[in-house]
Amino acid sequence: MSPHDREAYRSTVARESLSESVDVLVDCRDAALTFGRGANAVVAVHGATLRVRAGDRIAVVGPSGSGKSSLLHLFAGLEKPTSGSIRWPALVGRHAIGLVFQGDSLIPALDVAENTALPLVLAGMPDDRARRAALEALASVNAAELADRLPEEISGGQAQRVAAARALAQAPLLILADEPTGRLDRTTGGHVLDILLTAADRTGAALVVTTHDPAVAARLATRLTMHDGRLDTTKADPMNTPTASGLPESVTPPRVES
């Protein structure tokens, strides 16, 4: 190979690597998570390998206790893998990830608008701008009329819509939703999922949802199963099949907003 050909080859490889890194939001490679030590150690996640790319719609399906929430916490950077690695090649900035928790996550002393605006205020956004963004997000999930209510004054379904609005207010590149319909009836749960899918479609964000409900999973393009802490990617869409190419890694996990 001539020097010119070698240089052309290197340039092509560099361009392909850069293009791929822009597309890959989460690069999870053989990541495990163990709580405790010795005889009391509990392995929540066994060597999970998966890439989440821009625009992905992924459902992680499994029963309670299968490790779904722990996997999502690894993706969010809330937990550090005991072994293996988690990288965020294309996630940059304070609001890269929006996280919708499974349980109650609203602060009782703050009204709905204040709860929704809180992550933006903590990130340094002026109060008036944060409130405007919060009200817009609430309107997008059909919850504008709840703005001045306290969490104790709204239903479980309404609270989950507010949690979704809080995650969406900063237009994240990646939305991680942990059993967002688990405590809701079928109709309300379907509406919450509609909101997440619509928001992700509007912004181009990737969406990863953990669920034990096959009906919820069926609405996402890629469905993976998890059992006893083991993620099965054998039936994943080809876009989500892990590869071995090296990618630039984020020095620190992206900031999570919820």
Side-chain angles (χ1 to χ4, degrees):
M1 182 181 293
S2 69
H4 180 271
D5 290 339
R6 282 196 297 270
E7 183 61 30
Y9 174 76
R10 289 170 182 163
S11 297
T12 299
V13 171
R15 284 196 301 272
E16 290 176 351
S17 178
L18 179 60
S19 175
E20 188 172 23
S21 69
V22 169
D23 186 44
V24 178
L25 303 179
V26 181
D27 185 16
C28 175
R29 303 193 186 195
D30 201 28
L33 180 62
T34 301
F35 296 107
R37 296 182 179 180
N40 295 322
V42 176
V43 181
V45 179
H46 293 265
T49 297
L50 180 69
R51 279 182 171 177
V52 180
R53 299 177 184 271
D56 276 352
R57 304 286 180 267
I58 300 174
V60 180
V61 186
S64 297
S66 62
K68 304 187 305 297
S69 296
S70 294
L71 180 69
L72 222 62
H73 290 173
L74 286 172
F75 285 178
L78 297 177
E79 296 283 358
K80 183 178 180 180
T82 309
S83 61
S85 67
I86 303 283
R87 301 175 181 178
W88 299 267
L91 289 184
V92 179
R94 290 179 174 271
H95 311 304
I97 298 177
L99 183 59
V100 181
F101 291 98
Q102 177 178 359
D104 298 332
S105 60
L106 302 182
I107 298 175
L110 301 181
D111 66 29
V112 163
E114 291 168 336
N115 265 286
T116 306
L118 183 60
L120 300 175
V121 172
L122 294 177
M125 182 179 290
D127 289 354
D128 57 340
R129 285 182 54 201
R131 183 174 177 83
R132 285 198 301 271
L135 293 176
E136 290 175 3
L138 287 168
S140 74
V141 301
N142 298 320
E145 74 282 1
L146 305 177
D148 297 324
R149 298 188 192 180
L150 293 173
E152 66 183 18
E153 298 173 326
I154 62 178
S155 69
Q158 290 171 329
Q160 198 66 336
R161 279 193 282 160
V162 173
R166 185 174 58 183
L168 302 175
Q170 54 278 344
L173 298 175
L174 172 63
I175 302 168
L176 301 175
D178 188 15
E179 291 277 8
T181 66
R183 298 185 177 185
L184 308 176
D185 61 71
R186 182 59 59 91
T187 299
T188 305
H191 183 57
V192 168
L193 188 58
D194 288 341
I195 290 167
L196 293 174
L197 287 166
T198 299
D201 288 342
R202 185 175 66 245
T203 63
L207 174 63
V208 181
V209 175
T210 66
T211 183
H212 63 269
D213 187 344
V216 172
R219 297 188 59 190
L220 288 98
T222 300
R223 292 171 292 279
L224 309 176
T225 58
M226 196 160 190
H227 187 72
D228 292 335
R230 292 178 169 82
L231 181 67
D232 181 4
T233 61
T234 57
K235 296 181 181 179
D237 183 275
M239 280 190 67
N240 293 320
T241 302
T243 65
S245 60
L247 293 173
E249 64 180 86
S250 300
V251 176
T252 58
R255 178 168 175 167
V256 174
E257 304 293 351
S258 59

